[in-house]
Amino acid sequence: MIRATSIQPLGWLLATSFAVILPLRALAAEAVPSFSKATLAHAETIRLDAPENNHAMKILESLTTEVGPRLAGGPNDARAVAWAKAKFTELGFDQVWLEPVSFPTWQRGVETAEVLSPYPQPLSITALGNSIATPIDGLTANIIEFATLADLEAATKADVTGKIVFINKAMSAHIDGADYGPTVGARSRGASAAAKLGAVGLLIRSIGTDHNRLAHTGYNGYEDGVEKIPAAALSVPDAILLSNMLKRSKPVSVKMNLGSGPGPEYTSYNVIGQINAKRKTNKYVLIGGHLDSWDLGTGAIDDGAGCAVTMAAAEYIARKKLPIEHNIRVVLFANEEQGLFGGNQYRDAHKGDVKNIIAAAESDFGQGPVYALNSRVKPEALPLVQQMQKAMSGLNIQAGHNDGNGGPDLIALGAEGVALFGLALDGTDYFDLHHTANDTFDKVEAKRLNQTATSFAMFAFLAANAPSGFGSGESYLVEKAKSTKH
Ligand SMILES: [Zn+2]
């Protein structure tokens, strides 16, 4: 049973619109959990001050300049880990530590493609992550185009055998990235779907919303027991070019040359920094992003931004000496991009911690701003979520839904029943840059990143001072996780 506590003076309750809406008798009967007046006042100071006085831009500039691309297990992986450990320490976190994460690696090599006939010209491509190499002299075959992955799956072996499959599905821009799910299957499952029908290679239209002549990389998963074929993405302009050639009803022959392939097993680290509450407690609020990136840009929006805003949020709370009842832990996850290895390792290492994780939220959808507060909490905690959203409404954050998923690295923890929050980031232009050479620091706008850092600071501060739990470890959330889409 949740009760309003003595830190909730009645006089203040009466002064709020909340109390005006609910008759006093109902309040006493329902015992609605409420943040204290002091906590809400501190949250308001964060809202007003943090946009100007947080270090997110500085941290992101430092990461992208001093480390740059951070392919998991690649040449900069160890430098990224060392950077993160040193940065947490420099920022004054109370505890900083590493937890090992092991995974297979992948290496990019040469990546070229050209139309040989009927209209010879070069194409701009990039290998999909995990792709095998072509033969050393390249792979030459005729192209067969499909509008979607589903169309490919409905094709026959007679049509596809011996050809390079080209999936040409365009992606549209939405604030919540709604078209990513329906489009990304071409990248994640296209190679095996094509190989099952006898294809020798895969080219996809980049999973992106821009028209730059830069291809978008990203993970390609090979199905067990299916032959592996080389897979690459064409830039959007090159996909349109290739499609225009195919409309002329002559066979189009393409040569692609990829030098990519598997590397050795590697051990990286989740890098963790914690701000401790004054009184000793094992309970903590978890925020974070993933430290790895793809290798074409410098990983500014994916996901340097998520690392920077969550580090800056916790650092701000500590620097301003804002009182917290529970610890705030920032986790920079290893190797999200090639299979959620860091998130899964964290779940394995902290299974016994589930009840101690008050709430968790990852930032992994670009620079923001945050436009809605989603959650996945027990119903009794929804009044607290409403109060948090109300406190954040001055940042233009709307009320969200209670089917949030918290971010990719929190899928595993969520399945264990950890209460999750989704600070929904405006992703309208995210897929212009995502996984491209254009994912660089100059694209980041201070106003947007500062709003996001402020949102995470308000969230972490409020959650760390919540008067009652959000349901972590309770069977309700374990069951709810099963019915939540990712
Ligand atoms: Zn990401």
Side-chain angles (χ1 to χ4, degrees), residues 257-270:
N257 196 340
L258 302 183
S260 53
E265 180 90 3
Y266 186 84
T267 298
S268 184
Y269 297 90
N270 287 337

Side-chain angles (χ1 to χ4, degrees), residues 58-126:
K58 269 192 215 161
I59 295 168
L60 185 52
E61 190 272 345
S62 170
L63 174 61
T64 52
T65 305
E66 296 159 27
V67 183
R70 302 176 298 282
L71 187 70
N76 286 352
D77 190 311
R79 284 176 54 215
V81 168
W83 174 91
K85 189 174 177 224
K87 189 60 71 176
F88 273 131
T89 306
E90 178 194 325
L91 292 171
F93 280 68
D94 296 313
Q95 288 171 267
V96 181
W97 71 97
L98 308 180
E99 297 185 359
V101 183
S102 297
F103 46 81
T105 61
W106 173 80
Q107 296 165 342
R108 189 181 296 283
V110 297
E111 41 190 32
T112 60
E114 59 186 309
V115 176
L116 295 183
S117 68
Y119 312 111
Q121 52 179 301
L123 297 169
S124 175
I125 65 158
T126 191

Side-chain angles (χ1 to χ4, degrees), residues 290 292 301-303 336-337 364-365 408 430 434-435:
H290 64 85
D292 70 309
I301 62 148
D302 187 13
D303 183 28
E336 184 272 344
E337 294 290 2
D364 184 24
F365 206 61
Y430 182 59
H434 183 249
H435 298 181

